[in-house]
Amino acid sequence: MIKKYLYLLVFLSLALFVGGFAALVLTLNSTDAAARTRAPISLGVDETISIKCPGGKLAIADPQAATLVIKCVAPPTPTPAPATATPKPATATPVPPTATPAPTTATPPPTTPTPTPKPGGPELSMAMGLWNPNPKFDVCYNADGSVNAEATAGIKDFHDSFNVIGPDGKLYPTWHPPTAVEPKTGAVCRFGHEHGRDPSTAPNWNDIKAFFAFNGNVARSGIPFGYVSEQMDVWSQANGNTLPMRHEDHVGHKIEWEVNVKVEMANPANATVKIPTGVTCTYLAKVHQGTSTHDAFENNLHEVVYFSKCSDGQDLKLVKMAKFGKAGEFLRLCDPEGDRKTVIPTGFLYSNPAYPGTAQDGARNIIDRSCIERNFLVPEGKWSVNTYEAWPGSMNITGKTGQELVRGVDLLFDVENSMRYYQPGKTHPEMGATAAKYTDAGFTMDLCYETLANGNRSRGGACDIATNYGTIKGISWDDSRSAFKGTHRGVYFKPGDVKNSAGPALWYTDPFGENAQTTPFPGSIKQYVIQRDINYGQKYGGGVAFTDPTLIDRDYENSTVHAPN
């Protein structure tokens, strides 16, 4: 990382490692054009070298190259510092000139960092540092469209600066825009992924921050991505459980919220007729719904945050590891019966049978190869379907004796343009070190170029738009031009019934929203439940009608976003 100082500590993670030592070649360009190249300097691992550039600024040419070239240049005109320490998104993203080649030879850093406490700062959670830039696309640009090498070299640190302190005092990643202005250089950096709707613009944002604040530090609070996973580790260790660590990737965390949503009832005898209640609610949900890797084929536990505040006084703040069906299997989205009950067993290569969850806890409805060949690669005269996924799950909260404190918070999260589908036995050796995460996953964008032996192929819709009816060749699955980036999502919101008039507002549950107690315990999660009894079915439907969920549907398409997202 380059600092605004006269001295530069070149950390050897940027250099080429040979035989356990780092070889650093320094090319010094003098003003008389007599370039001098010194012999390679061999340093021990973790050693540093200090380079002085009085009155100027050190610049790195092509930080992705094996040979690191450092030059002392005249300092640029200073960029005014932003008014706030929180980086703000750019109002416009400059498009780089087509003549600017994107680096393609750099190897991304390892995907599993070891969190360590920062000197004088909070301890890092396991969720910190999980994202690594794709050097082909995740780049920082100057206003004229040229690559800013300094900002690009530090893009991971800039990305990780969007963080909050969680309720446990640890540092967690949080929401950020897909592009943002790096404050030191003024360059616009592209992170290549998005997290949905900005929660800081929600009307109940201060309430949300107060709920997650550590020791009342609201200024450093927000929605901590991966907080429940961290508590699950603590809870498992404290209870002698053998549950393996469950730390989800960074890009899959998605936020959605909406205000003044009408609450309506429906009768099973005629579900098309809506019964108005006069109640409106403001909702916010954060779900981890990864549709890039193979993770959801086996893993049923996914982190969900749910806030609802309604005009009739209903007020819930619920956080847990939601159970979307059973581990080791999912339900085929397009089974012939149309009821989405066909179980696709996937096993436990990267999951565990000890993960709790049953078919009654929800589901993960996912497309597999048979769905693709039946409904996506189609004959002339038919249109390809969306690569759709639907994940229904519950945010219900129960007490130590199984009593229902909150019930009926039955949400559904869906995706219209999933990046992958289930294809047993599919491997991706071309992806190198990350290939294992994509085993059994077919990439949806590849289908735009596939034709079956009978002539069936994709027809209409996303593929035709992305490829301009087949004229644009070679769009890879992780290209920002892909039609399948997991950006088009929906949440079916509904309020929950509450039975808590005799209980406290604050409860502490295990990571799965169960065994609620009035005092915290190792690995417990705080839940807020209004001290009232509310039953919408009884009040507005005579015990027969049910609360009809309301769909909030948005597409977070951005020209800089690419898979994995």
Side-chain angles (χ1 to χ4, degrees), residues 31-279:
T31 56
D32 62 0
R36 304 191 308 274
T37 301
R38 296 186 178 179
I41 300 174
S42 296
L43 302 176
V45 175
D46 292 330
E47 289 184 350
T48 61
I49 185 170
S50 179
I51 303 172
K52 190 174 182 181
C53 178
K57 180 179 180 181
L58 289 164
I60 297 178
D62 192 3
Q64 306 294 348
T67 299
L68 193 62
V69 179
I70 303 174
K71 186 177 181 180
C72 181
V73 298
T77 303
T79 301
T84 172
T86 303
K88 297 295 183 182
T91 55
T93 303
V95 178
T98 55
T100 303
T104 58
T105 58
T107 301
T111 57
T112 307
T114 302
T116 54
K118 284 188 174 181
E123 180 181 353
L124 303 187
S125 68
M126 288 294 295
M128 284 297 299
L130 291 182
W131 177 80
N132 291 292
N134 183 328
K136 293 188 296 183
F137 307 113
D138 306 333
V139 180
C140 301
Y141 295 98
N142 298 313
D144 62 1
S146 61
V147 173
N148 188 302
E150 179 182 350
T152 299
I155 192 171
K156 179 176 173 65
D157 286 339
F158 179 40
H159 169 273
D160 291 348
S161 70
F162 291 88
N163 58 59
V164 294
I165 298 176
D168 57 355
K170 294 182 181 180
L171 204 65
Y172 291 87
T174 192
W175 186 94
H176 60 78
T179 65
V181 176
E182 199 280 317
K184 184 172 63 172
T185 64
V188 176
C189 293
R190 301 179 176 187
F191 301 131
H193 60 275
E194 49 77 31
H195 295 295
R197 198 171 188 187
D198 184 354
S200 69
T201 58
N204 58 337
W205 178 234
N206 289 335
D207 200 24
I208 294 171
K209 292 181 69 176
F211 178 78
F212 284 116
F214 173 66
N215 287 343
N217 187 0
V218 176
R220 290 290 288 115
S221 182
I223 299 177
F225 292 171
Y227 168 67
V228 184
S229 296
E230 196 87 5
Q231 302 318 301
M232 183 174 160
D233 288 344
V234 176
W235 179 82
S236 296
Q237 184 176 8
N239 289 275
N241 292 326
T242 57
L243 294 180
M245 295 169 62
R246 178 78 180 106
H247 295 285
E248 301 173 291
D249 67 18
H250 173 76
V251 298
H253 294 282
K254 309 299 184 185
I255 293 176
E256 187 56 81
W257 60 266
E258 190 52 270
V259 300
N260 298 326
V261 179
K262 293 181 180 179
V263 176
E264 296 179 319
M265 310 298 292
N267 193 314
N270 189 358
T272 61
V273 177
K274 308 303 179 187
I275 305 171
T277 65
V279 179

